[in-house]
């Protein structure tokens, strides 16, 4: 399971590095250049792009929403491949994110984040504890009602 997550993470990172807009006629050439199998490329296109309605030709684009979805998906795959904890600096660099922004994405996923001092250098640590405990919803009653 961890190996499959690591392989799929590699494909997600390659897809993330592709141009923001892709013409339908270029799909096959881009897919081959990126080294992504066709079935996986089609799934990535379906999950992480939207049709570009402004173009005269058929093409798709990565919106802010789909890029965030792809990043979150990649972070979950990274957690799975790394036994749900580790130092995310290499992943942040690979995805083109600053380490603080990457840590923020991990916090949104429910991970705990922190730093460990190694001499003069700080090392970042992310971990996901299972099961996740979400904050409970507090219901307030109206004044005078019980």
């Amino acid at each position: 399971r961890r190996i499959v997550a690591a392989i799929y993470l590699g494909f997600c990172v390659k897809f993330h590095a592709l141009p923001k807009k892709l013409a339908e006629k270029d799909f096959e050439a881009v897919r081959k250049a990126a080294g992504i199998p066709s079935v996986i490329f089609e799934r990535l296109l379906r999950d992480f792009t939207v049709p570009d309605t402004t173009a005269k030709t058929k093409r798709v684009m990565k919106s802010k929403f789909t890029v965030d979805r792809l990043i979150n998906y990649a972070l979950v795959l990274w957690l799975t491949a790394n036994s749900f904890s580790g130092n995310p600096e290499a992943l942040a660099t690979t995805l083109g994110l600053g380490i603080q922004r990457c840590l923020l994405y991990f916090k949104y996923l429910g991970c705990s984040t922190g730093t460990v001092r190694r001499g003069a250098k700080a090392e970042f640590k992310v971990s996901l504890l299972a099961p996740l405990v979400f904050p409970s919803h507090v219901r307030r009653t109206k004044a005078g009602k019980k």
Side-chain angles (χ1 to χ4, degrees):
R1 185 174 185 186
R2 291 173 56 194
I3 293 171
V4 172
I7 292 169
Y8 202 72
L9 172 61
F11 294 139
C12 286
V13 168
K14 288 178 182 180
F15 188 79
H16 180 68
L18 294 178
K20 184 177 178 179
K21 296 182 180 185
L22 288 172
E24 192 173 294
K25 63 182 173 97
D26 299 332
F27 284 175
E28 190 62 23
V30 169
R31 181 195 69 76
K32 283 182 180 178
I36 302 173
S38 60
V39 173
I40 294 173
F41 188 74
E42 289 170 14
R43 175 68 188 256
L44 293 170
L45 280 172
R46 187 177 64 237
D47 291 347
F48 305 115
T49 62
V50 292
D52 187 0
T53 56
T54 62
K56 292 179 183 177
T57 60
K58 278 188 140 184
R59 66 180 183 183
V60 294
M61 62 181 262
K62 298 179 202 172
S63 67
K64 173 75 172 128
F65 174 76
T66 58
V67 169
D68 280 347
R69 185 190 311 168
L70 178 60
I71 290 171
N72 282 311
Y73 203 86
L75 297 182
V76 170
L77 288 168
W78 181 85
L79 284 166
T80 304
N82 287 295
S83 301
F84 301 101
S85 68
N87 184 345
E89 287 184 89
L91 178 66
T93 303
T94 303
L95 292 174
L97 300 173
I99 188 65
Q100 295 302 323
R101 185 159 179 227
C102 186
L103 292 174
L104 186 62
Y105 275 108
F106 276 113
K107 284 182 183 179
Y108 290 153
L109 288 175
C111 296
S112 60
T113 61
T115 57
V116 178
R117 292 278 175 204
R118 302 267 187 225
K121 189 176 182 207
E123 188 174 292
F124 298 95
K125 180 151 174 77
V126 175
S127 61
L128 180 65
L129 302 176
L132 285 176
V133 179
F134 294 101
S136 60
H137 181 71
V138 179
R139 291 186 173 219
R140 295 184 179 162
T141 58
K142 291 184 178 181
K145 290 190 176 183
K146 291 184 182 181

